[in-house]
Amino acid sequence: MELKFPKLYRYDRFREHCYAAVPFAKGTLTDALKVQIKQDGQVMPVQTKVTSYHEDRSIRYLFVRFLANLPANQKTSLDMEFAADCRNEYDGIQIEETKDGYVVNGGLRFAVQNKSKGIFSWLEDGNRRYEQEQFRGPFLKSGEETYGIELGQWKISEAGPLVAVLRCMGNCIGSKKISFELKLTAYAEKPWVEIGFRLINSTEEQLPIASLIFEILADETELQSNKKIYQTTGILEL
């Protein structure tokens, strides 16, 4: 099976994260591990997940993540193969379970803790380490009130060599108690992590929330200075 990419970028994109949803006829494929993707004869890292089965338990739809080299201002293609002798030996992301959470080793290295009041216990980007005290939020703001957060138990939603997804339920604590789901998505070989924050309104009332703020302080030893190296504010229209 050929995977075609049109001309996409002005610059070369090396080992870009890509994905495809692949349908299969009944009885065609029974093992998601028997998938291999090659580019110019080179085996590329792959991570697969079955999203639907046929009645005979053969695979109906397979979600395939893979790395690809996308040349600047050119089309390119990769070959997807299905065979018993496929080998996808790639040590990308590893998840280590600790006594109170998880440590994720990938493009970034970070730890999360159950029942904490912040997202990260610590984070390392290869150049420096950020401690728990440097992360503030995400905080909901409603009028003059700022809500704190309280996390529950972290769970692994997806674990593979290319992508790791952790999820956690929690509550915004203030004059009201507002539930939310937090999702972290880490990518192999990439120096970032995606943070998803989904509010859950379990009442019939509207939530008068103006913004969601997440900050990283420059130095945990100078917390009173409030010097920030990162700040994002999301406006919620509810």
Side-chain angles (χ1 to χ4, degrees), residues 86-150:
C86 286
R87 296 289 184 269
N88 292 298
E89 298 177 358
Y90 174 72
D91 293 327
I93 295 181
Q94 296 90 36
I95 303 178
E96 302 173 7
E97 186 172 5
T98 64
K99 63 178 181 180
D100 55 3
Y102 295 97
V103 172
V104 177
N105 295 283
L108 292 177
R109 187 167 184 265
F110 62 87
V112 294
Q113 183 178 345
N114 299 324
K115 299 181 180 180
S116 68
K117 298 186 182 300
I119 298 178
F120 301 107
S121 297
W122 51 263
L123 183 147
E124 296 176 348
D125 64 1
N127 296 310
R128 62 176 294 183
R129 179 183 174 102
Y130 301 86
E131 301 297 340
Q132 186 174 31
E133 294 80 7
Q134 291 175 259
F135 297 100
R136 291 188 172 181
F139 295 133
L140 290 174
K141 281 189 168 291
S142 176
E144 299 298 321
E145 184 176 12
T146 299
Y147 287 69
I149 64 170
E150 186 178 76

Side-chain angles (χ1 to χ4, degrees), residues 33-45:
L33 298 179
K34 295 179 179 179
V35 176
Q36 187 169 263
I37 292 181
K38 292 183 178 180
Q39 184 172 21
D40 300 325
Q42 178 186 2
V43 177
M44 306 302 289

Side-chain angles (χ1 to χ4, degrees), residues 41-79:
Q42 178 186 2
V43 177
M44 306 302 289
V46 169
Q47 178 176 326
T48 60
K49 180 173 66 174
V50 179
T51 58
S52 179
Y53 289 94
H54 289 285
E55 295 82 358
D56 64 351
R57 299 304 294 171
S58 63
I59 296 171
R60 178 187 279 120
Y61 286 103
L62 186 67
F63 186 71
V64 184
R65 300 183 186 271
F66 58 97
L67 298 184
N69 299 321
L70 307 180
N73 294 320
Q74 296 181 42
K75 298 184 293 184
T76 190
S77 64
L78 293 86
D79 295 314

Side-chain angles (χ1 to χ4, degrees), residues 191-214:
W192 63 72
V193 58
E194 290 182 3
I195 302 175
F197 189 92
R198 182 169 67 94
L199 286 173
I200 302 171
N201 184 6
S202 57
T203 72
E204 295 183 358
E205 300 178 8
Q206 291 188 350
L207 300 178
I209 297 171
S211 63
L212 177 68
I213 298 176
F214 179 63

Side-chain angles (χ1 to χ4, degrees), residues 7-12 71-75:
K7 182 173 67 174
L8 295 175
Y9 300 107
R10 180 181 177 184
Y11 303 103
D12 289 332
N73 294 320
Q74 296 181 42
K75 298 184 293 184

